[in-house]
C-alpha cells in the first residue's frame, strides 16, 4: 500500500512547457482503479463488477473512497471487499470528490491509475484499449466517450441531453469527435508519475476537478488524448431536484475556474449564463411594456430581446421531438423540461459563482433521501 503524500496543486497554472512524453510502463506492471463513492447503493456493485471484469495484463486493485453514505452503500462496499481481496477501502469523511480521489491514489500501489465513477460502467476491453492508446501516444491522460443511459423516462431524457451537443455544449467526450488531443478527458487513464508531478487533484476545487487537473497536465507539456473507441456508460441523476442541484453546483464551480484561469476556459461555458441574463432582461422588458413604462418605438425595439429566447425555445422543441433517446411521449416531454433545467441551473450557478466565487458550494444531489427516481 502506498501512503507517501504527494504535493497539492496551488497557485496559478504555469505557462505550457515544451512538449513531453509520458513514460511507458512495463507490460504487466499493474493498474489501480480509483473510485469515489457516495450514496450509490443501486449502482456500486455493477460498477465494481465491470472494473474487475476488465482484461488487464498484470495485477489489479480497486480502491473505493467511501463518503458518509446513508443508503447502505458503505455496508455494500464492505461486503464487496470481503468477497474480493482486490478491493481496498479508504475513508473520505468530507465526501469531496478530489479529496477522495487523492486518498484512493495514495492508498494504491500500481504505476497506472484509472479513474472510475460509481455511477458508471466500463465497457468490455476499455482498460486494455486505453493502456494501448496511452503507450502509443505517450499522453499524460487518455479518456473516451461518456455514453449516458437511462432506466426511466426522466433519466433517459437526462441521458439524451448529456449525449447531445445542445445539452452539454459539445465537449469531445460527449459526442463523436475524432481521435486526437483534447482539452480534458472523461474519467481518465493516467501514469502515476505524471499525476504526482503535477500534484494530484486540487482539493480546493469541488466540481470541475478533472478539467483543472488536465489543464495542469497540459501546462506541464503532456498531451491529453481523446480516443472515441473508449466508452463508459454513465447513469445520470434520477430526479428533477437532484439534477437542478447538480447543475447549479457545477455552474458555480465553473465560474470559480473562470475567475482563477480566465481565457483558458472554452467560450462554450458562457452560453448558459448568457441565456439566464437574456431571460432576466426579457422579464424586465415585459414588465415595463405591460405597465406602460416602455411604449412606442422604444417598446418595439426592446421587443428584440424576445427573439433569442424564441429561437432557443424552438431549438429545445426540435431536439425534444427529434430522433434519439427514448421514443415515448413521456421521454420527449421530460426532454422539454430537462434541457432548460440544465441550462438555467448551470447558468444561474455560474452567475452566482462569478460574482462571489464558489466558496463552500457543494453538490448535494447525491445526499441521502434526495434522489428519488422519477418514473
Amino acid at each position: 500500500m502506498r501512503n507517501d503524500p504527494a504535493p497539492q496543486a496551488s497557485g496559478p497554472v504555469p505557462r505550457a512547457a515544451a512538449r513531453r512524453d509520458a513514460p511507458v510502463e512495463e507490460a504487466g506492471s499493474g493498474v489501480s482503479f480509483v473510485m469515489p463513492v457516495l450514496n450509490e447503493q443501486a449502482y456500486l456493485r455493477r460498477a465494481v463488477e465491470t472494473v474487475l471484469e476488465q482484461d488487464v495484463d498484470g495485477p489489479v486493485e480497486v480502491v473505493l473512497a467511501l463518503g458518509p453514505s446513508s443508503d447502505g452503500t458503505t455496508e455494500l462496499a464492505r461486503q464487496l471487499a470481503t468477497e474480493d481481496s482486490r478491493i481496498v477501502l479508504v475513508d473520505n469523511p468530507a465526501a469531496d470528490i478530489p479529496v477522495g480521489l487523492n486518498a484512493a491514489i495514495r492508498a494504491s500501489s500500481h504505476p497506472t491509475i484509472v479513474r472510475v465513477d460509481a455511477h458508471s460502467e466500463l465497457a468490455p476491453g476499455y482498460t486494455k484499449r486505453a493502456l494501448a492508446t496511452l503507450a502509443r501516444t505517450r499522453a499524460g491522460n487518455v479518456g473516451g466517450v461518456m455514453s449516458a443511459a437511462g432506466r426511466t423516462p426522466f433519466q433517459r431524457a437526462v441521458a439524451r441531453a448529456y449525449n447531445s451537443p445542445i445539452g452539454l455544449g459539445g465537449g469531445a467526450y460527449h459526442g463523436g469527435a475524432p481521435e486526437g488531443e483534447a482539452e480534458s478527458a472523461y474519467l481518465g487513464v493516467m501514469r502515476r508519475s505524471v499525476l504526482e508531478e503535477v500534484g494530484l487533484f486540487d482539493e480546493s476545487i469541488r466540481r470541475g476537478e478533472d478539467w483543472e487537473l488536465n489543464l495542469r497536465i497540459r501546462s506541464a507539456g503532456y498531451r491529453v488524448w481523446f480516443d472515441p473507441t473508449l466508452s463508459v456508460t454513465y447513469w445520470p441523476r434520477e430526479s428533477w431536484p437532484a439534477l437542478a442541484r447538480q447543475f447549479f453546483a457545477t455552474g458555480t464551480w465553473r465560474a470559480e475556474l473562470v475567475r482563477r484561469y480566465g481565457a483558458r476556459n472554452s467560450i462554450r461555458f458562457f452560453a448558459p449564463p448568457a441565456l439566464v441574463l437574456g431571460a432576466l432582461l426579457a422579464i424586465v422588458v415585459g414588465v415595463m411594456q405591460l405597465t406602460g413604462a416602455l411604449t412606442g418605438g422604444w417598446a418595439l425595439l426592446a421587443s428584440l430581446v424576445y427573439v433569442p429566447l424564441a429561437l432557443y425555445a424552438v431549438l429545445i422543441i426540435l431536439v425534444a421531438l427529434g430522433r434519439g433517446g427514448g421514443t415515448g411521449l413521456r421521454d420527449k416531454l421530460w426532454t422539454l423540461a430537462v434541457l432548460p433545467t440544465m441550462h438555467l441551473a448551470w447558468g444561474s450557478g455560474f452567475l452566482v459563482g462569478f460574482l462571489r466565487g464558489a466558496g463552500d458550494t457543494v453538490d448535494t444531489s447525491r445526499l441521502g433521501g434526495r434522489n428519488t427516481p422519477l418514473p
Side-chain angles (χ1 to χ4, degrees):
M1 180 175 291
R2 195 180 177 100
N3 292 309
D4 50 309
Q8 289 301 299
S10 62
V13 175
R15 293 182 179 275
R19 179 59 57 83
R20 302 165 65 192
D21 289 333
V24 175
E25 302 294 339
E26 294 183 8
S29 56
V31 173
S32 296
F33 296 85
V34 295
M35 180 190 298
V37 178
L38 177 66
N39 287 326
E40 300 288 4
Q41 197 274 340
Y43 296 92
L44 180 60
R45 177 176 288 277
R46 185 54 190 156
V48 171
E49 287 175 348
T50 64
V51 169
L52 295 176
E53 290 167 359
Q54 295 293 300
D55 179 15
V56 177
D57 181 14
V60 165
E61 64 183 350
V62 185
V63 186
L64 307 181
L66 301 179
S69 296
S70 59
D71 67 344
T73 294
T74 299
E75 292 75 14
L76 174 58
R78 290 171 180 160
Q79 178 183 339
L80 293 173
T82 63
E83 296 173 0
D84 197 309
S85 61
R86 293 173 294 177
I87 299 174
V88 179
L89 307 181
V90 297
D91 289 329
N92 179 24
D96 284 343
I97 291 176
V99 174
L101 285 169
N102 285 348
I105 291 168
R106 294 189 186 111
S108 65
S109 56
H110 300 310
T112 300
I113 305 295
V114 180
R115 176 179 173 175
V116 285
D117 185 14
H119 227 59
S120 65
E121 299 176 10
L122 300 185
Y126 171 89
T127 306
K128 187 172 185 178
R129 285 194 295 270
L131 293 175
T133 301
L134 200 62
R136 170 172 56 86
T137 63
R138 303 288 299 274
N141 190 7
V142 168
V145 176
M146 172 203 276
S147 180
R151 296 169 176 167
T152 65
F154 176 82
Q155 197 178 41
R156 286 195 296 269
V158 178
R160 187 179 180 189
Y162 265 87
N163 295 332
S164 167
I166 303 302
L168 289 180
Y173 53 83
H174 294 299
E179 180 177 6
E181 292 190 47
E183 176 186 15
S184 187
Y186 176 55
L187 299 181
V189 180
M190 300 160 274
R191 300 301 187 194
R192 178 186 295 276
S193 60
V194 173
L195 272 173
E196 293 182 341
E197 177 186 337
V198 301
L200 302 188
F201 288 89
D202 187 335
E203 295 183 2
S204 72
I205 297 174
R206 287 173 166 167
R207 301 289 296 177
E209 72 284 344
D210 285 326
W211 181 89
E212 193 277 338
L213 173 68
N214 283 295
L215 174 60
R216 282 185 281 121
I217 289 174
R218 290 186 288 112
S219 296
Y222 299 106
R223 289 177 293 277
V224 174
W225 197 263
F226 172 71
D227 183 347
T229 68
L230 304 175
S231 179
V232 179
T233 298
Y234 172 77
W235 301 99
R237 300 300 190 266
E238 299 168 317
S239 75
W240 201 354
L243 180 71
R245 290 197 301 270
Q246 177 195 13
F247 272 77
F248 183 88
T250 302
T252 303
W253 277 101
R254 173 50 59 184
E256 176 66 29
L257 294 175
V258 168
R259 286 163 63 101
R260 295 189 190 190
Y261 304 116
R264 295 179 184 228
N265 291 267
S266 171
I267 190 66
R268 72 177 185 273
F269 296 131
F270 296 89
L275 172 66
V276 173
L277 290 175
L280 292 175
L281 181 59
I283 291 173
V284 171
V285 169
V287 170
M288 293 178 69
Q289 289 174 331
L290 289 173
T291 59
L294 200 60
T295 59
W298 287 111
L300 183 61
L301 182 63
S303 296
L304 292 175
V305 301
Y306 304 130
V307 174
L309 295 179
L311 294 175
Y312 172 77
V314 170
L315 178 62
I316 296 302
I317 292 172
L318 290 176
V319 172
L321 298 180
R323 301 178 62 183
T327 58
L329 177 60
R330 292 168 71 189
D331 294 62
K332 296 182 184 301
L333 291 176
W334 272 123
T335 301
L336 283 173
V338 160
L339 282 168
T341 298
M342 292 168 61
H343 295 155
L344 294 174
W346 201 103
S348 299
F350 184 97
L351 293 174
V352 171
F354 189 78
L355 291 173
R356 65 167 178 80
D360 59 355
T361 301
V362 296
D363 176 9
T364 62
S365 62
R366 290 220 194 278
L367 296 184
R370 299 188 181 181
N371 196 28
T372 304
L374 286 170

